[in-house]
Amino acid sequence: MPFRPVLDGDLAARLRAAFLAADFTADGCLELLGATAYAALARSETVPALRVTGGGSVRETLLRLFLLQQPVPYPAAEAALPVADCLAAGWLVPDGGASGDGTESGDGGRAAHVRATVDVRPYANDIAGDSDAADAWIVSDLGCAVGGAGGIGASGAAGAADATGDSGDAGAVPRSELVLGVGGASTTLANITVRRSVRRVLDLGTGSGVQALHAARHGAEVVATDVNPRALHFTALTVALSGFSHVGTRAGSLFEPVGAESFDLIVSNPPFVISPSGRFTYRDGGMAGDDLCRALVAGAGAHLEPGGYCQLLANWQHVRGEDWRERVSGWIAGTGCDAWVVQREVQDVTQYAELWLRDGGDHREPRADYDARYNAWLDTFEAAKVEGIGFGWITLRRPAPGVRPSVHIEEWPHTVEQPLGPEIEHWFARQDFLRGHDDAALLAARYRLADEVVQEQVGAPGQEHPEHVILRQNRGMRRATKVDTVGAGFVGVCDGELSAGEILDAIAALIEEDPVLLRDRTPEQIRMLVEQGFLEPVVPA
């Protein structure tokens, strides 16, 4: 099946100029729609947006055409876009409107209306913190832009599954080959990615190019790979429309397309769904269980430059009689990388199967077919002794040669600050500090209390002393930890002026405790407070 639209750099530049002139941007669409219609669109409800976009302005025409995927009159489209070129290149196709015949009587066969062949979604590409050139556009299949922060909401169809089924109505594209737009997973990965200027970036499993688009802001060269040729074409459309020329695409699975090449950053929103079959390229890895995520993690270290990061989303199985942490740590063993793994959610096998059956549109099938597919999922899990599925993110970093890797695996289902990329980079920097400081060095160092840490005291009313003290972060991971009164007093004095040992000696004098004993028992608590980000080491000038 031929791709549509055709990739034409000159036309993409003209479309970008037209979009900017009409303020067909994320901010411009929010301004036009208003908060209520904008929020409804994110829930796949288009009626409020249709009600407020009937004025015929250029921005309204573009929004109806590419976001709401409605036919628009030819003259209105002509006022907004180079229609003839868009028709020739396949961005638009004729549509008969109410008459349904594709032409307008008495006008030389010209179409009465035109409609879009793809979803073009304004996207605020500014997670990197640079406001310049932040406006971008994600190109995906009709009905497959599923909303999410940074995008402009969901399409007129209620997600890819409801839009197409297995055969699809999005241009007669097989469901297995569909290319989705911005979703919750892609937004999560974009938010947790470490953003720093680097030489080379690999976006493995690029889809519509969301991660490649972000990487193009801070990577001198970006390589985007996918097993789906249509995904590579859509990525090329996305980056061309958004004004980037240094993103290349390659076809293939996992690390095959890049051979022995290495990168400063690898990002991947892979097809991590653990399913009994490989029905859908965009979500199903086609390997047994969680083997695709395991293979991705196990192979990443060989493709990272020293100091380079690999960041990905993953699912992993919770197998009866096995600690999930040991399972995931087995993926990391042998990579030579530092690692921070965070499990954000766990679903039992029935919840997980129901979620992805609905995603596949199976809830619309006859009951017998739905039940058969449901049983296939449960049979697969039962045979593998899987009791649940964990979802989270994995960050690997290649340390300097000869340094023993640090691996930390935890469960954290609570709210975090986004974007989290800066905190992830700081976390690894703190591991470097702790790895290079024994207890004596920890006491000789100076620390500063991190920003927006508050103290809570818990105890019965009227008590002179609290039962315990809680330190709570309002930034980053937003952790909370219990400390004793010495710990609370210690962090309260940490302003970078005195060493930890000097502070402890002063506290020992106040509470009449042997300073040697206090110095002996405190480094473990200091190490914990630094690791979790409550204290920041002060680097000498």
Side-chain angles (χ1 to χ4, degrees):
M1 175 181 176
F3 285 120
R4 199 167 55 186
V6 172
L7 178 61
D8 179 334
D10 178 67
L11 179 56
R14 292 162 62 200
L15 287 175
R16 181 170 68 255
F19 291 166
L20 289 172
D23 202 10
F24 182 58
T25 62
D27 289 342
C29 289
L30 174 59
E31 178 187 48
L32 172 62
L33 294 175
T36 300
Y38 183 96
L41 195 57
R43 299 191 301 270
S44 303
E45 296 293 346
T46 59
V47 170
L50 287 168
R51 289 170 63 89
V52 298
T53 56
S57 71
V58 171
R59 195 191 318 176
E60 288 170 316
T61 296
L62 293 172
L63 196 149
R64 280 179 167 249
L65 192 62
F66 290 115
L67 266 66
L68 303 180
Q69 292 151 20
Q70 299 292 309
V72 302
Y74 192 106
E78 199 170 30
L81 298 163
V83 173
D85 291 339
C86 288
L87 286 165
W91 291 89
L92 304 175
V93 292
D95 188 279
S99 65
D101 62 5
T103 63
E104 182 174 323
S105 175
D107 196 22
R110 192 186 76 177
H113 293 72
V114 295
R115 59 181 175 84
T117 62
V118 288
D119 184 294
V120 180
R121 196 129 307 227
Y123 186 71
N125 183 26
D126 58 359
I127 287 176
D130 179 6
S131 59
D132 294 337
D135 291 313
W137 294 267
I138 305 292
V139 185
S140 63
D141 274 314
L142 296 175
C144 296
V146 291
I152 197 65
S155 67
D162 293 344
T164 63
D166 275 344
S167 60
D169 62 7
V173 178
R175 175 73 157 85
S176 62
E177 297 178 16
L178 285 175
V179 180
L180 273 62
V182 182
S186 55
T187 300
T188 294
L189 181 58
N191 274 309
I192 69 171
T193 299
V194 172
R195 303 292 174 190
R196 53 187 184 140
S197 295
V198 293
R199 187 174 64 90
R200 303 192 76 214
V201 182
L202 171 63
D203 176 12
L204 193 156
T206 185
S208 57
V210 177
Q211 308 309 320
L213 189 63
H214 282 288
R217 299 284 306 285
H218 61 101
E221 178 190 1
V222 181
V223 177
T225 69
D226 207 291
V227 298
N228 183 0
R230 297 191 75 252
L232 298 178
H233 187 74
F234 275 98
T235 291
L237 293 172
T238 289
V239 296
L241 190 59
S242 300
F244 295 105
S245 59
H246 58 290
V247 178
T249 60
R250 304 183 194 177
S253 177
L254 294 172
F255 294 102
E256 293 171 0
V258 298
E261 297 174 47
S262 57
F263 300 85
D264 304 293
L265 174 65
I266 300 171
V267 290
S268 183
N269 179 16
F272 52 67
V273 176
I274 300 170
S275 64
S277 66
R279 289 171 70 197
F280 306 130
T281 304
Y282 71 86
R283 73 168 206 196
D284 301 323
M287 297 184 182
D290 49 19
D291 281 356
L292 183 133
C293 292
R294 177 193 58 77
L296 202 164
V297 171
H303 296 276
L304 285 177
E305 293 283 354
Y309 287 87
C310 173
Q311 297 186 266
L312 66 142
L313 306 182
N315 277 186
W316 43 78
Q317 298 178 145
H318 284 227
V319 178
R320 189 179 310 123
E322 175 185 274
D323 188 328
W324 71 270
R325 295 172 180 81
E326 292 181 2
R327 182 179 192 84
V328 177
S329 66
W331 299 358
I332 300 164
T335 64
C337 292
D338 295 327
W340 185 16
V341 180
V342 181
Q343 178 169 273
R344 297 288 288 157
E345 181 182 4
V346 181
Q347 289 186 324
D348 65 46
V349 293
T350 59
Q351 291 173 312
Y352 191 80
E354 290 160 13
L355 170 67
W356 295 111
L357 285 166
R358 183 170 184 83
D359 172 85
D362 296 291
H363 62 299
R364 296 182 178 275
E365 300 298 319
R367 184 70 198 195
D369 294 340
Y370 175 83
D371 289 351
R373 288 198 188 277
Y374 200 153
N375 275 304
W377 282 73
L378 297 185
D379 288 345
T380 300
F381 288 139
E382 185 175 344
K385 300 180 180 179
V386 175
E387 297 179 326
I389 306 294
F391 169 82
W393 60 67
I394 299 174
T395 300
L396 308 176
R397 187 194 62 167
R398 175 160 290 287
V403 174
R404 183 178 179 180
S406 170
V407 177
H408 183 72
I409 302 176
E410 65 174 310
E411 185 168 11
W412 189 256
H414 311 294
T415 301
V416 301
E417 180 188 31
Q418 294 289 12
L420 196 66
E423 167 58 19
I424 290 177
E425 188 171 18
H426 292 158
W427 189 90
F428 281 92
R430 295 195 297 269
Q431 306 317 302
D432 290 341
F433 172 83
L434 293 172
R435 191 160 38 196
H437 286 68
D438 59 15
D439 286 356
L442 281 178
L443 293 175
R446 293 176 292 135
Y447 305 92
R448 185 183 70 84
L449 183 64
D451 293 337
E452 297 191 39
V453 173
V454 297
Q455 175 179 305
E456 301 173 0
Q457 297 186 169
V458 179
Q463 271 192 335
E464 183 178 356
H465 300 291
E467 294 177 10
H468 55 264
V469 177
I470 301 294
L471 300 179
R472 189 178 302 278
Q473 301 170 341
N474 288 319
R475 304 294 304 273
M477 294 291 284
R478 293 176 173 159
R479 298 185 188 275
T481 189
K482 184 166 67 173
V483 295
D484 57 21
T485 53
V486 170
F490 177 81
V491 299
V493 182
C494 284
D495 59 4
E497 294 297 321
L498 300 175
S499 71
E502 290 171 329
I503 294 174
L504 289 176
D505 289 345
I507 292 175
L510 286 174
I511 64 176
E512 299 181 351
E513 182 173 340
D514 184 337
V516 175
L517 294 178
L518 188 58
R519 280 173 171 256
D520 285 345
R521 69 179 176 87
T522 305
E524 182 179 353
Q525 187 167 207
I526 295 175
R527 192 172 295 275
M528 179 273 294
L529 292 170
V530 171
E531 180 179 68
Q532 295 191 0
F534 291 94
L535 292 178
E536 298 176 349
V538 176
V539 179

